[in-house]
Amino acid sequence: MFNFVQNIENLDFPETLEKLAKMAGIEIKQYSGNSTFKTIEDINYLATQYYYNELKKDKTASKYVQDRGFTKESIKTFGIGYAPRRPQLLKFLGRHAKYSKTFLLQSGLFVEKEGVVKEKFYDRIMFPIRSKRGKVIGFTGRIMPGNDWGPKYMNSPETPVFHKKDNLFGQYEARQEIRKLDIAIVCEGSTDVISAYQHGVKNIVAPLGTSLTTEQLESIKGLTNNVLFFFDSDTAGKAALVRAFKLASELKMNPYAANASPYKDIDEMLQKEHDKFVKLTEERIEAFSFILKDFITDKDINKLSEMEETRKLANSLLESVKDPITKNHYIDKLSRIANIEFQKENERKDSRANSEGQLIQFPVKFGTSSFEGVYISLLLISPQVDISKVADEVFFTSETNKKVLKLIKESKGVLSREELSRLISQDEELKNIYEDLIFNADKIITEKVPLEDQLVLCENKLKKLFFEKKQNEIRTKIALAEEVEDAVNSEKLLVELLEINKILKELK
């Protein structure tokens, strides 16, 4: 039962233990642990209350936060507050407990000058940093307009409970959504996290004013193996993406990439083009392709010097990729995109191969749209298309691909390649997209297997992706049903899950 709940809901050990104890009506006594940790956590908790209440009192700070677009709900959810120009945090803490100078300094909220303990943060908007368990372990302070002292953003120093390299802003708030969606979005700053959260994107986190670390990615890996890096499009952002790709690849994660161009950051994009942000997260691009495409955009790879620059970048990226199958996939991309050849470590054997060779060279790490594109390409180059055998659009996620299938199915009988081409060409949007698919079709097919058989194989793969998504959706619903102790619905969903598992087994 313990393992079942842990695996179905993707919980860690303590969370699973707490959930099962709650379901059984058992109270678990919390171990107080290290008294220093507990005292500092208490100080941070009280400081969060103080800053939160001070924000309500200060009209200038409240207006600034509102002008930044933060809603009352977000302010409450993230515990956003304000450290006033003349902070009284020390007095506030004194009304609750008598904390020693040692604990006050260890909290990171105070400094000692000439023997006097003073507040570290003043005239700053305060963002509490929570641990994965929800405890406030530190703060990020954003300078107010007119305050010229110190950096724009100031984080708590290293303390017994807070280590920047191990933590991410939003990690507690995002953990459930990351599990549910099976992907984490990593952006550059806390304000981007909050803005995204307000727009319904809740699987998002950010490093704490420093470069992304291996420890932070390991924390994400405990929730999902998929990570979308959404950094700025400036030089620093591009360098950060390359570094993030290498760290993620060394951990055998699946890195994807996007940026807010032409906007300065995620916050601005969400304000002006929310749908574009959603599209970038849903139709995400592999980070390897994203980096390579950006690098060679202004390069003439026919020149030996620029070809060598591209090769050096590619080699540095490939060196970090520990999974041999993924590395071979990237090497294939290099050959196709930049005509740069690298020796593969191991020639992978496709389970669909027969004695004459492989059937289809599908990408190993793919988004749903990759197989959809392959299927549409195969349709477009087929001598004849039997409408009755065309895949159901329910297995497709791209609205454009669904539009093509619907257009095809409105016809009757059998369409020749010429008829299909004329049909697609009537729609200017579809024409531009699928001309490119036809142009690249020779890279995804083999003459050793009939096109009709390749279509069947590709359709089966799309079905597998569809039912795997259904499988994840049902698992999420089971977790929700158990959360509200809806045993009837939970059992019903388990039956559906078993049926989906059966279908997937047959598709394999």
Side-chain angles (χ1 to χ4, degrees), residues 223-362:
L223 303 172
T224 180
N225 215 38
N226 303 304
V227 57
L228 170 61
F229 299 114
F230 214 117
F231 296 156
D232 294 345
S233 55
D234 56 13
T235 302
K238 291 176 181 179
L241 175 58
V242 171
R243 184 173 184 278
F245 170 86
K246 292 178 179 180
L247 293 178
S249 296
E250 286 171 356
L251 294 175
K252 296 186 178 180
M253 298 178 77
N254 302 325
Y256 300 90
N259 64 43
S261 181
Y263 305 107
K264 65 178 183 179
D265 53 29
I266 289 176
D267 184 29
E268 185 180 2
M269 173 177 278
L270 285 166
Q271 296 291 340
K272 297 181 178 179
E273 273 195 271
H274 172 266
D275 291 345
K276 181 176 181 179
F277 178 82
V278 173
K279 185 177 181 180
L280 286 173
T281 58
E282 290 180 348
E283 300 179 8
R284 51 190 177 268
I285 301 172
E286 289 177 345
F288 184 86
S289 302
F290 191 96
I291 294 168
L292 186 65
K293 178 180 178 296
D294 179 73
F295 186 80
I296 66 176
T297 295
D298 58 351
K299 294 281 188 299
D300 182 357
I301 55 177
N302 290 315
K303 291 182 178 179
L304 184 60
S305 59
E306 298 196 359
M307 168 67 85
E308 188 58 30
E309 286 180 27
T310 307
R311 175 179 283 277
K312 285 181 179 178
L313 171 68
N315 188 57
S316 71
L317 296 176
L318 289 172
E319 283 180 345
S320 67
V321 181
K322 302 305 178 185
D323 180 52
I325 297 177
T326 305
K327 181 176 284 190
N328 284 346
H329 167 57
Y330 290 155
I331 289 172
D332 285 338
K333 285 203 166 195
L334 271 171
S335 176
R336 186 168 69 251
I337 297 172
N339 198 28
I340 296 175
E341 302 294 335
F342 277 88
Q343 181 66 43
K344 293 184 180 181
E345 292 187 347
N346 296 298
E347 292 295 331
R348 57 186 171 89
K349 295 181 179 180
D350 197 310
S351 61
R352 296 181 296 273
N354 57 20
S355 59
E356 294 182 329
Q358 294 183 334
L359 301 186
I360 303 179
Q361 298 287 342
F362 285 128

Side-chain angles (χ1 to χ4, degrees), residues 411-454:
S411 305
K412 296 180 180 179
V414 177
L415 285 176
S416 67
R417 182 186 301 172
E418 291 73 19
E419 290 171 330
L420 183 56
S421 177
R422 284 197 297 271
L423 188 66
I424 298 294
S425 297
Q426 292 173 9
D427 188 301
E428 195 63 31
E429 177 192 358
L430 300 182
K431 178 183 177 182
N432 292 335
I433 293 173
Y434 291 103
E435 278 180 353
D436 184 59
L437 284 176
I438 293 174
F439 179 77
N440 290 289
D442 63 323
K443 296 183 177 71
I444 61 170
I445 65 170
T446 174
E447 296 178 356
K448 296 177 181 179
V449 178
L451 276 174
E452 187 174 346
D453 291 344
Q454 295 185 57

Side-chain angles (χ1 to χ4, degrees), residues 9-22:
E9 300 199 31
N10 234 341
L11 302 177
D12 59 24
F13 184 89
E15 288 174 324
T16 307
L17 188 61
E18 288 177 12
K19 180 176 180 64
L20 290 174
K22 182 179 178 181

